[in-house]
Amino acid sequence: MNRRRARVFLINWTLAVVATVCAFVVHLAMRGNTVSLGYELGKARSEQARLREVKRVLELESASYKTPERVEIVARSLLGMEPPVPERIVSVGQKPIPIEEHAKAP
């Protein structure tokens, strides 16, 4: 009977050690996964901060493009536009004067 008790104890002890090792391995795997997710989260947060900064810069740039001064600079430098000559200006509500008649006027 003593041998049987030793055998049962050895089996139970072996199962306990195996269960402990399995639990430790699972714990290490979960810990590794947690650390990996932490790094990914840090990268995602830094990317989010970078994109917010880019958005802020682009909004400022967009606002600067809408100012009349900026429109005039672009029109003159990039597009080669000039202010219209007085003959080309037509007031709203008046009929345009033909160019021939405009040239005859003193």
Side-chain angles (χ1 to χ4, degrees), residues 45-102:
R45 284 187 177 161
S46 65
E47 178 70 9
Q48 181 185 31
R50 186 188 70 79
L51 290 174
R52 281 185 179 154
E53 181 63 21
V54 167
K55 179 184 176 191
R56 186 185 69 79
V57 168
L58 289 175
E59 285 175 346
L60 288 173
E61 189 176 345
S62 172
S64 73
Y65 285 148
K66 294 177 182 175
T67 62
E69 294 84 15
R70 174 71 180 180
V71 171
E72 184 176 355
I73 290 170
V74 170
R76 287 179 187 263
S77 62
L78 295 177
L79 302 176
M81 299 175 95
E82 296 289 328
V85 292
E87 294 83 31
R88 295 206 43 157
I89 298 174
V90 177
S91 298
V92 177
Q94 292 181 353
K95 292 184 179 180
I97 301 171
I99 295 176
E100 298 82 27
E101 289 181 25
H102 208 321

Side-chain angles (χ1 to χ4, degrees), residues 29-45:
M30 290 176 65
R31 177 74 176 164
N33 193 19
T34 302
V35 170
S36 175
L37 287 174
Y39 281 122
E40 287 181 33
L41 182 61
K43 287 179 186 177
R45 284 187 177 161

